[in-house]
């Protein structure tokens, strides 16, 4: 990514020698109109490209590449330059990278944020520098309240968990054990699943948790077996689903008649194809399935797979829509950042591969459809097949 204009203009001598005509000819020869620094806007993307959440970084990075290819890397009359930085999932690194992107690179927006602690660590930098911060992955409800400069294009765990709690209560499930990763989104999933399930006269026998890092599912699965619930409700962050599913099968919980229900993070499209038959029939709720049957999604999946050679998951869609949100904002501000860009992004609505979405102007959080899905085999591969939908769901975590 070279800045051709500085090559041409840095030399005073050449600058004086070149007439306007030859400058234009030089620009043509370079295949593009010479771009001055002011004609480029930079977007700072911070993702876990390595470490335990690397699949989330890989998915979002791939989606950004697709957006760049489709848009020609332009928005609001400006050339868009994305700077992708790897925080390896470590919050201190995210904070340092955000600081550098704001101060040194003068980015118009920060985006990415693969895990809740990484988003929370960056919130004060967004506030102090008045830099819009688009959360493309992390999903704890309270994140958007950590800074007035945060907007979200992923989802919230209360949105996802309420859907499956409703389905369970209406489908003969009376006793449930919950199992969640022991941090922000797990707390939300546990609370909002249980509250809605209890409201519908269900019973929660036990609430189990596993650590975010290197979880061992064996001891908790033994506890689930002993408790003999009708179903086990699970939330684990993207990347842990396959390992969990394997152990669930190996320990014979499916054969013991314990139904598995989950948020769609567990039956994640990134890993679903390799989960094997133990995943078949798992009912879950989420905002995105690669099998969503809209023309917009079919186009998205086909072009994503052509470019990246793997199936997009919900993280990819959060990243893709995040780029579209920033670009739509830049169209309105003609490339300006700061408060103007923030205001331009609030209230945006457009058709995502998941369905129509709205960025609520008050909460800056996403309003979207939540689907109930069942894992089924189609053409020899596993997919989350949608069979019911709750339309335009606001984050239940903000309706206190
Ligand atoms: C989070 C939530 C991360 C849901 C996830 O995968 C996920 C988070 C990495 O907020 O940390 O599926």
């Amino acid at each position: 990514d070279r800045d051709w204009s500085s090559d041409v203009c840095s030399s005073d001598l050449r600058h004086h020698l070149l007439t306007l005509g030859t400058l234009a000819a030089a620009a043509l020869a370079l295949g593009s109109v010479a771009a001055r620094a002011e004609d480029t806007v930079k977007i700072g993307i911070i993702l876990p490209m390595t470490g335990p959440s690397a699949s989330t970084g890989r998915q979002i990075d791939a989606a950004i590449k697709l957006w760049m290819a489709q848009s020609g890397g332009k928005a609001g009359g400006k050339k868009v330059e994305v700077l992708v930085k790897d925080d390896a999932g470590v919050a201190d690194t995210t904070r340092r990278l955000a600081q550098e992107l704001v101060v040194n690179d003068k980015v118009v927006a920060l985006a990415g944020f693969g895990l809740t602690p990484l988003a929370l660590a960056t919130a004060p930098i967004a506030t102090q520098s008045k830099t819009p911060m688009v959360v493309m992955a992390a999903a704890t409800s309270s994140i958007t309240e950590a800074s007035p400069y945060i907007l979200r294009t992923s989802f919230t765990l209360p949105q996802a968990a309420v859907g499956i709690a409703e389905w369970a209560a209406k489908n003969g499930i009376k006793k449930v054990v919950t199992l969640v990763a022991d941090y922000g989104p797990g707390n939300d999933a546990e609370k909002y699943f249980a509250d809605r399930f209890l409201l519908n006269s269900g019973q929660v026998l036990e609430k189990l948790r596993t650590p975010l890092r290197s979880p061992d599912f064996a001891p908790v699965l033994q506890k689930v077996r002993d408790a003999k619930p009708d179903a086990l409700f699970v939330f684990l962050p993207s990347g842990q689903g396959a390992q969990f599913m394997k152990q669930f099968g190996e320990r014979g919980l499916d054969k013991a008649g314990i139904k598995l229900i989950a948020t769609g993070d567990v039956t994640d499209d990134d890993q679903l194809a390799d989960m094997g038959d133990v995943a078949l029939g798992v009912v879950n709720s989420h905002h995105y399935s690669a099998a969503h049957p809209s023309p917009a999604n079919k186009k998205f999946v086909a072009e994503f797979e052509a470019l990246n050679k793997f199936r997009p998951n919900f993280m990819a869609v959060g990243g893709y829509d995040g780029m579209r949100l920033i670009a739509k904002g830049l169209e309105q501000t003609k490339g300006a950042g700061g408060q103007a860009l923030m205001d331009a992004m609030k209230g945006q609505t457009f058709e995502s591969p998941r369905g129509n979405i709205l960025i609520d102007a008050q909460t800056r959080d996403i309003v979207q459809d939540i689907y109930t899905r069942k894992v089924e085999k189609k053409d020899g591969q596993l997919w989350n097949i949608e069979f019911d939908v709750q339309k335009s769901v606001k984050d239940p975590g903000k309706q206190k």
Side-chain angles (χ1 to χ4, degrees), residues 53 56 114-116 138-140 155 157 183 185 235-238 265 314-315:
S53 299
T56 292
L115 295 162
T116 289
T140 300
F155 73 110
L157 262 307
Y183 76 122
F235 160 75
L236 294 168
S238 185
D265 309 74
F314 62 100
M315 295 300 189

Side-chain angles (χ1 to χ4, degrees), residues 145-293:
E145 286 153 351
S147 166
Y149 289 89
I150 293 180
L151 311 106
R152 173 155 41 200
T153 57
S154 52
F155 73 110
T156 77
L157 262 307
Q159 276 179 331
V162 165
I164 189 65
E166 281 286 325
W167 180 86
K170 288 183 189 136
N171 286 273
I173 294 170
K174 299 209 160 40
K175 295 177 184 167
V176 166
V177 172
T178 62
L179 167 60
V180 302
D182 193 8
Y183 76 122
N187 299 343
D188 277 359
E190 182 187 270
K191 175 176 173 15
Y192 284 85
F193 176 87
D195 284 359
R196 183 59 64 96
F197 193 60
L198 296 180
L199 190 68
N200 290 340
S201 306
Q203 200 186 339
V204 176
L205 301 177
E206 217 169 330
K207 295 179 176 174
L208 304 172
R209 294 186 175 204
T210 45
L212 172 60
R213 302 281 178 215
S214 316
D216 176 6
F217 300 118
V220 285
L221 286 174
Q222 190 53 51
K223 285 190 184 160
V224 176
R225 258 201 104 114
D226 297 344
K228 297 189 175 55
D230 300 323
L232 170 64
F233 164 75
V234 184
F235 160 75
L236 294 168
S238 185
Q240 295 188 3
Q243 193 208 337
F244 168 79
M245 204 65 85
K246 186 164 171 280
Q247 294 206 19
F248 186 84
E250 279 171 6
R251 281 161 201 282
L253 272 83
D254 49 345
K255 298 195 181 62
I258 299 170
K259 219 178 149 41
L260 183 60
I261 55 177
T263 64
D265 309 74
V266 177
T267 56
D268 180 354
D269 274 304
D270 187 71
Q271 298 185 319
L272 186 60
D274 302 317
M275 280 185 194
D277 287 353
V278 63
L280 272 176
V282 172
V283 178
N284 65 90
S285 59
H286 228 208
H287 54 294
Y288 178 69
S289 165
H292 181 61

